[in-house]
Amino acid sequence: KNEVEQSPQNLTAQEGEFITINCSYSVGISALHWLQQHPGGGIVSLFMLSSGKKKHGRLIATINIQEKHSSLHITASHPRDSAVYICAVNSGGSNYKLTFGKGTLLTVNP
Amino acid sequence: DTGVSQDPRHKITKRGQNVTFRCDPISEHNRLYWYRQTLGQGPEFLTYFQNEAQLEKSRLLSDRFSAERPKGSFSTLEIQRTEQGDSAMYLCASSLKDPGGYTFGSGTRLTVV
């Protein structure tokens, strides 16, 4: 079992829909990250969380430390949101290296 | 500062050849990381520098791999005697602290034929 599991693996939505991507982890962590990767490889950091909730524009990230679970929500989705969304953690024993989930491929259709 | 730069963006090489990739981190960032990503997978940790010191090297890195960060600025990742299994995207990232907000480069896609 991977240390970081994401669901779903693939998600197709219509423009305007509310999107939720889930991440579960099995280790103690010092931080959890949500990242966005577009075709071609570039990765953009969206959020770093250690507790609670963060919001940036139409993106909201939450984390429940007790349940070892985080969610990324996208409100009013748009085709430009189409990308791979990756959850990654700094596990307790290492504050520097990231352990990544496999990613969720989101496609938003117009 | 334009972010983390990686060069080249793409590299095609014949099996057995040596290749070297370069990463220029954000200038204020003293922490630098290399990751490798294969198709359909999340990136995997390869190595970590704090300034010029290489503090951890993953067991994924065989003796054919070496990374340096002279003077704590740019970093190079060299692969000797490349194999087809080395084909992957090699990603560099940098940060100011641990854990930190990471800035990733666009990656170097290596294809070994």
Side-chain angles (χ1 to χ4, degrees):
Chain A
K1 188 178 188 296
N2 293 331
E3 289 184 352
V4 181
E5 297 277 357
Q6 286 185 237
S7 64
Q9 285 189 314
N10 294 281
L11 181 56
T12 300
Q14 289 300 120
E15 184 173 356
E17 286 185 358
F18 182 82
I19 304 291
T20 296
I21 299 170
N22 296 299
C23 175
S24 296
Y25 52 92
S26 57
V27 294
I29 67 169
S30 53
L32 181 142
H33 304 258
W34 282 102
L35 307 151
Q36 181 191 58
Q37 186 171 34
H38 282 282
I43 292 178
V44 175
S45 180
L46 300 175
F47 295 104
M48 182 174 76
L49 294 161
S50 54
S51 64
K53 176 180 174 178
K54 286 190 177 180
K55 184 176 190 292
H56 185 246
R58 294 181 295 106
L59 301 179
I60 303 167
T62 64
I63 187 168
N64 185 317
I65 297 294
Q66 286 73 32
E67 294 186 3
K68 291 188 165 66
H69 181 269
S70 176
S71 293
L72 176 69
H73 306 285
I74 305 175
T75 61
S77 59
H78 191 276
R80 65 175 174 267
D81 297 326
S82 298
V84 176
Y85 291 84
I86 305 174
C87 174
V89 300
N90 294 103
S91 39
S94 167
N95 268 348
Y96 52 85
K97 67 182 173 186
L98 290 169
T99 301
F100 290 79
K102 291 187 177 181
T104 294
L105 175 60
L106 171 65
T107 303
V108 181
N109 294 317
Chain B
D1 197 351
T2 56
V4 177
S5 298
Q6 290 190 247
D7 184 68
R9 290 293 308 275
H10 304 274
K11 179 71 177 178
I12 300 174
T13 191
K14 291 184 178 179
R15 191 169 46 138
Q17 297 295 303
N18 298 345
V19 293
T20 300
F21 310 142
R22 177 180 170 123
C23 171
D24 286 90
I26 291 177
S27 55
E28 311 89 76
H29 288 184
N30 60 350
R31 288 151 167 84
L32 185 146
Y33 319 81
W34 285 97
Y35 290 87
R36 180 172 67 188
Q37 185 178 27
T38 53
L39 201 60
Q41 303 295 315
E44 295 176 295
F45 172 80
L46 293 180
T47 191
Y48 165 59
F49 290 87
Q50 195 172 123
N51 300 308
E52 67 274 11
Q54 186 176 22
L55 297 187
E56 185 173 344
K57 185 177 173 181
S58 165
R59 62 181 182 276
L60 290 175
L61 288 188
S62 71
D63 291 344
R64 298 183 296 106
F65 287 73
S66 63
E68 293 183 343
R69 193 182 181 197
K71 302 179 183 178
S73 56
F74 70 92
S75 176
T76 58
L77 178 67
E78 181 183 16
I79 310 174
Q80 297 182 327
R81 304 182 303 283
T82 51
E83 301 173 356
Q84 286 189 319
D86 298 331
S87 295
M89 174 75 82
Y90 290 83
L91 292 160
C92 177
S94 68
S95 72
L96 194 52
K97 57 181 179 177
D98 299 317
Y102 301 97
T103 303
F104 284 82
S106 297
T108 293
R109 183 171 297 281
L110 172 67
T111 303
V112 182
V113 297

